[in-house]
Amino acid sequence: MSNDYFSVCIPLRHLFGFCEDYKRILMNCSQQLILNRASNDMDALQIFETDNTKAIELSKTKIILNKVLWKMPMIKVANKEKLRLMKVIDSHKSIKCPFRTWELAEYPFLPTNTRHSWSVRTCNNLEKPRYVIIGFQTDRKNTGSKSMAVFDHCNLTNLKVYLNTQVYPYEDFRADYPNNLYSLFYNSYIQFQRTYYDRDWASPLLNHSKFKDIMPVAVIDMSRQDDDIKINSGLDLRLEFEFSNAVPEKTTAYCLVIHDQIIIYNPFSGDVRKL
């Protein structure tokens, strides 16, 4: 930062599952970027000032977006390929675009007990959840003194995800964070990189100790499902938590659901709809 100005470049694949998964050419398709801002900027700031008067003054800091540039790659093809694409447009046929999308659910204040059940969402058969990532934060919203980029383990011992009658994972985690017994949670964090990106190797950003201090999240792999079974009544996603001690007050639970998504667009008319 220089003179209170800064710039940042964020790859769209870090924000949208569509930009990460869909690698084909889009023709005659309008795209729109919508930014939703909070009422204040406290969750984007961390104040290190110890003087209370100065800290209150710093809490009034505003982040102003002066310019937003949205860059998308433009692909030029050879004449032979261009004729083939023109035939696709003239055929008036719709094109399917399958990808994995990310949907965040929030439980603002968990009850202060050792067990809790959370009905997250109901989805149809086309939006099957493939991964669920759960994290907790205690008294971090709108404070400024604590980083919103850090999560708390809240003495989580076990976690179960129910998709109708199916339960994930089959075995218990049996974690004990105060005694540094959380290897199964850390292993699920490592394995997510392998299965999500279909790799034989993993290079986690956090080691075993930093995982506990910075981001003790729980990653549940639900990618291996029987897709031949069609469910007409919908899929109910439910979480069950177990803690060794009562959940602290002002604890928020976050659930990031990575599920299938299919959109259809018509290159001739430009219409886009979701299945």
Side-chain angles (χ1 to χ4, degrees):
M1 182 179 294
S2 177
N3 297 326
D4 293 335
Y5 284 88
F6 69 94
S7 64
V8 61
C9 180
I10 305 175
L12 291 178
R13 66 178 181 273
H14 292 172
L15 301 176
F16 306 114
F18 179 83
C19 297
E20 184 176 40
D21 290 339
Y22 197 75
K23 305 297 183 182
R24 298 184 178 183
I25 296 176
L26 294 173
M27 303 174 293
N28 192 28
C29 178
S30 62
Q31 301 179 49
Q32 189 176 27
L33 181 65
I34 300 175
L35 302 178
N36 295 322
R37 297 196 61 173
S39 58
N40 59 67
D41 298 331
M42 287 302 298
D43 289 343
L45 302 171
Q46 185 175 4
I47 301 173
F48 297 95
E49 181 61 54
T50 57
D51 184 86
N52 190 40
T53 304
K54 293 182 179 180
I56 295 175
E57 187 66 24
L58 288 173
S59 65
K60 301 177 182 178
T61 303
K62 298 291 183 181
I63 298 177
I64 301 173
L65 292 178
N66 292 324
K67 183 184 295 185
V68 177
L69 298 178
W70 184 18
K71 295 186 177 182
M72 297 292 290
M74 303 293 293
I75 300 176
K76 294 183 179 181
V77 299
N79 292 332
K80 181 179 179 180
E81 187 68 19
K82 188 181 296 184
L83 289 174
R84 191 184 71 85
L85 295 176
M86 291 300 296
K87 290 181 180 179
V88 174
I89 297 177
D90 293 339
S91 66
H92 294 201
K93 291 183 179 180
S94 297
I95 299 176
K96 287 185 178 181
C97 303
F99 59 98
R100 294 169 296 187
T101 189
W102 312 335
E103 184 175 345
L104 180 65
E106 178 182 346
Y107 199 113
F109 298 102
L110 283 177
T112 55
N113 49 32
T114 58
R115 289 176 176 266
H116 184 66
S117 180
W118 177 17
S119 297
V120 180
R121 69 192 297 265
T122 300
C123 57
N124 56 43
N125 196 58
L126 293 175
E127 297 182 351
K128 282 188 174 182
R130 298 301 181 180
Y131 298 91
V132 172
I133 304 176
I134 302 99
F136 306 95
Q137 289 185 332
T138 301
D139 195 20
R140 292 185 179 273
K141 276 191 172 183
N142 298 321
T143 60
S145 59
K146 298 181 180 180
S147 173
M148 284 294 292
V150 176
F151 287 81
D152 306 295
H153 56 75
C154 297
N155 295 320
L156 179 69
T157 58
N158 196 28
L159 174 70
K160 293 292 184 181
V161 177
Y162 291 87
L163 193 61
N164 284 357
T165 58
Q166 294 180 328
V167 58
Y168 301 88
Y170 178 75
E171 296 182 347
D172 293 337
F173 285 101
R174 299 187 182 92
D176 187 357
Y177 276 98
N179 293 318
N180 293 325
L181 301 177
Y182 54 91
S183 294
L184 291 180
F185 277 124
Y186 183 67
N187 182 67
S188 66
Y189 159 75
I190 296 177
Q191 294 300 326
F192 169 74
Q193 193 179 90
R194 294 180 178 177
T195 58
Y196 185 84
Y197 295 106
D198 194 19
R199 297 174 178 173
D200 295 330
W201 51 272
S203 57
L205 297 176
L206 303 175
N207 59 28
H208 192 266
S209 60
K210 288 186 177 180
F211 172 80
K212 174 185 176 182
D213 298 332
I214 298 177
M215 194 170 292
V217 296
V219 182
I220 308 300
D221 186 355
M222 308 165 62
S223 59
R224 295 176 179 86
Q225 301 180 31
D226 190 356
D227 294 331
D228 294 333
I229 299 178
K230 302 300 180 181
I231 301 175
N232 298 323
S233 59
L235 298 170
D236 294 324
L237 181 63
R238 181 171 59 89
L239 307 180
E240 286 193 358
F241 308 116
E242 293 182 18
F243 304 89
S244 59
N245 298 321
V247 177
E249 295 183 353
K250 299 181 180 180
T251 296
T252 303
Y254 298 94
C255 178
L256 178 64
V257 183
I258 302 177
H259 62 82
D260 295 339
Q261 183 75 72
I262 299 177
I263 62 173
I264 294 180
Y265 83 98
N266 190 308
F268 180 80
S269 62
D271 294 335
V272 180
R273 63 185 180 90
K274 183 178 72 171
L275 282 182

mmCIF file of all heavy atoms in Angstrom, residues 9 17 46 56 64 66 115 122 158 165-166 177 213 224 232:
data_model
loop_
_atom_site.group_PDB
_atom_site.id
_atom_site.type_symbol
_atom_site.label_atom_id
_atom_site.label_comp_id
_atom_site.label_asym_id
_atom_site.label_seq_id
_atom_site.Cartn_x
_atom_site.Cartn_y
_atom_site.Cartn_z
ATOM 1 N N CYS A 9 -4.934 -8.280 -7.883
ATOM 2 C CA CYS A 9 -5.389 -9.066 -9.026
ATOM 3 C C CYS A 9 -5.825 -10.440 -8.517
ATOM 4 O O CYS A 9 -5.030 -11.164 -7.910
ATOM 5 C CB CYS A 9 -4.269 -9.204 -10.061
ATOM 6 S SG CYS A 9 -4.737 -10.158 -11.527
ATOM 7 N N GLY A 17 -16.743 -21.248 -9.418
ATOM 8 C CA GLY A 17 -16.512 -22.599 -9.884
ATOM 9 C C GLY A 17 -16.631 -22.715 -11.395
ATOM 10 O O GLY A 17 -15.984 -23.558 -12.017
ATOM 11 N N GLN A 46 -8.283 -5.344 10.049
ATOM 12 C CA GLN A 46 -7.819 -5.800 11.357
ATOM 13 C C GLN A 46 -7.022 -4.672 11.994
ATOM 14 O O GLN A 46 -6.036 -4.198 11.416
ATOM 15 C CB GLN A 46 -6.969 -7.064 11.255
ATOM 16 C CG GLN A 46 -6.580 -7.616 12.627
ATOM 17 C CD GLN A 46 -5.832 -8.932 12.549
ATOM 18 O OE1 GLN A 46 -5.535 -9.421 11.463
ATOM 19 N NE2 GLN A 46 -5.503 -9.504 13.699
ATOM 20 N N ILE A 56 -10.889 3.301 18.020
ATOM 21 C CA ILE A 56 -12.236 3.714 17.628
ATOM 22 C C ILE A 56 -12.190 4.570 16.371
ATOM 23 O O ILE A 56 -13.035 4.449 15.474
ATOM 24 C CB ILE A 56 -12.923 4.463 18.782
ATOM 25 C CG1 ILE A 56 -13.137 3.522 19.972
ATOM 26 C CG2 ILE A 56 -14.236 5.079 18.328
ATOM 27 C CD1 ILE A 56 -13.709 4.202 21.198
ATOM 28 N N ILE A 64 -12.707 2.145 -0.362
ATOM 29 C CA ILE A 64 -13.405 2.684 -1.535
ATOM 30 C C ILE A 64 -12.862 2.013 -2.791
ATOM 31 O O ILE A 64 -11.649 1.985 -3.018
ATOM 32 C CB ILE A 64 -13.223 4.212 -1.634
ATOM 33 C CG1 ILE A 64 -13.772 4.889 -0.370
ATOM 34 C CG2 ILE A 64 -13.919 4.764 -2.869
ATOM 35 C CD1 ILE A 64 -13.487 6.378 -0.311
ATOM 36 N N ASN A 66 -12.230 2.342 -6.400
ATOM 37 C CA ASN A 66 -12.154 3.375 -7.427
ATOM 38 C C ASN A 66 -12.325 2.816 -8.837
ATOM 39 O O ASN A 66 -12.884 3.469 -9.711
ATOM 40 C CB ASN A 66 -10.809 4.105 -7.338
ATOM 41 C CG ASN A 66 -10.687 4.940 -6.082
ATOM 42 O OD1 ASN A 66 -11.667 5.523 -5.620
ATOM 43 N ND2 ASN A 66 -9.495 4.977 -5.499
ATOM 44 N N ARG A 115 -23.670 -30.420 21.679
ATOM 45 C CA ARG A 115 -24.194 -31.097 20.498
ATOM 46 C C ARG A 115 -25.169 -30.179 19.772
ATOM 47 O O ARG A 115 -25.907 -29.428 20.409
ATOM 48 C CB ARG A 115 -24.908 -32.409 20.867
ATOM 49 C CG ARG A 115 -23.981 -33.526 21.331
ATOM 50 C CD ARG A 115 -24.787 -34.736 21.769
ATOM 51 N NE ARG A 115 -23.931 -35.842 22.132
ATOM 52 C CZ ARG A 115 -23.571 -36.823 21.312
ATOM 53 N NH1 ARG A 115 -24.015 -36.825 20.064
ATOM 54 N NH2 ARG A 115 -22.782 -37.800 21.725
ATOM 55 N N THR A 122 -31.953 -27.853 1.149
ATOM 56 C CA THR A 122 -32.586 -28.910 0.367
ATOM 57 C C THR A 122 -32.344 -28.620 -1.103
ATOM 58 O O THR A 122 -32.542 -27.495 -1.559
ATOM 59 C CB THR A 122 -34.097 -28.980 0.655
ATOM 60 O OG1 THR A 122 -34.291 -29.250 2.052
ATOM 61 C CG2 THR A 122 -34.743 -30.083 -0.154
ATOM 62 N N ASN A 158 -16.205 -34.273 16.801
ATOM 63 C CA ASN A 158 -16.716 -35.134 15.736
ATOM 64 C C ASN A 158 -17.725 -34.365 14.892
ATOM 65 O O ASN A 158 -18.323 -33.386 15.351
ATOM 66 C CB ASN A 158 -17.377 -36.389 16.316
ATOM 67 C CG ASN A 158 -17.565 -37.470 15.276
ATOM 68 O OD1 ASN A 158 -16.800 -37.557 14.303
ATOM 69 N ND2 ASN A 158 -18.578 -38.285 15.440
ATOM 70 N N THR A 165 -30.570 -40.286 3.969
ATOM 71 C CA THR A 165 -30.217 -41.334 4.925
ATOM 72 C C THR A 165 -28.739 -41.703 4.872
ATOM 73 O O THR A 165 -28.275 -42.470 5.723
ATOM 74 C CB THR A 165 -31.056 -42.599 4.658
ATOM 75 O OG1 THR A 165 -30.842 -43.041 3.303
ATOM 76 C CG2 THR A 165 -32.537 -42.302 4.868
ATOM 77 N N GLN A 166 -27.999 -41.178 3.913
ATOM 78 C CA GLN A 166 -26.583 -41.488 3.802
ATOM 79 C C GLN A 166 -25.782 -40.591 4.745
ATOM 80 O O GLN A 166 -26.072 -39.395 4.884
ATOM 81 C CB GLN A 166 -26.095 -41.298 2.367
ATOM 82 C CG GLN A 166 -26.720 -42.281 1.378
ATOM 83 C CD GLN A 166 -26.217 -42.055 -0.033
ATOM 84 O OE1 GLN A 166 -25.912 -40.938 -0.431
ATOM 85 N NE2 GLN A 166 -26.124 -43.134 -0.800
ATOM 86 N N TYR A 177 -8.545 -31.284 20.077
ATOM 87 C CA TYR A 177 -7.652 -30.180 19.705
ATOM 88 C C TYR A 177 -6.748 -29.718 20.844
ATOM 89 O O TYR A 177 -5.564 -29.446 20.616
ATOM 90 C CB TYR A 177 -8.465 -29.012 19.161
ATOM 91 C CG TYR A 177 -8.798 -29.145 17.694
ATOM 92 C CD1 TYR A 177 -10.034 -29.621 17.279
ATOM 93 C CD2 TYR A 177 -7.881 -28.793 16.714
ATOM 94 C CE1 TYR A 177 -10.345 -29.742 15.929
ATOM 95 C CE2 TYR A 177 -8.183 -28.903 15.365
ATOM 96 C CZ TYR A 177 -9.421 -29.384 14.988
ATOM 97 O OH TYR A 177 -9.714 -29.503 13.650
ATOM 98 N N ASP A 213 -3.986 -23.523 14.234
ATOM 99 C CA ASP A 213 -3.988 -22.131 14.681
ATOM 100 C C ASP A 213 -4.717 -21.204 13.720
ATOM 101 O O ASP A 213 -5.278 -20.186 14.152
ATOM 102 C CB ASP A 213 -2.549 -21.643 14.859
ATOM 103 C CG ASP A 213 -1.800 -22.436 15.920
ATOM 104 O OD1 ASP A 213 -2.467 -22.954 16.839
ATOM 105 O OD2 ASP A 213 -0.562 -22.547 15.821
ATOM 106 N N ARG A 224 -18.159 -39.486 -4.031
ATOM 107 C CA ARG A 224 -18.444 -40.850 -4.493
ATOM 108 C C ARG A 224 -19.860 -41.233 -4.095
ATOM 109 O O ARG A 224 -20.100 -41.762 -3.018
ATOM 110 C CB ARG A 224 -17.421 -41.820 -3.912
ATOM 111 C CG ARG A 224 -16.010 -41.572 -4.411
ATOM 112 C CD ARG A 224 -15.018 -42.495 -3.732
ATOM 113 N NE ARG A 224 -13.669 -42.290 -4.220
ATOM 114 C CZ ARG A 224 -12.830 -41.375 -3.748
ATOM 115 N NH1 ARG A 224 -13.232 -40.582 -2.776
ATOM 116 N NH2 ARG A 224 -11.616 -41.239 -4.249
ATOM 117 N N ASN A 232 -36.615 -38.181 -6.485
ATOM 118 C CA ASN A 232 -37.570 -37.165 -6.912
ATOM 119 C C ASN A 232 -37.982 -36.233 -5.785
ATOM 120 O O ASN A 232 -38.462 -35.129 -6.031
ATOM 121 C CB ASN A 232 -38.817 -37.848 -7.499
ATOM 122 C CG ASN A 232 -38.488 -38.676 -8.737
ATOM 123 O OD1 ASN A 232 -37.644 -38.288 -9.543
ATOM 124 N ND2 ASN A 232 -39.149 -39.813 -8.887
#
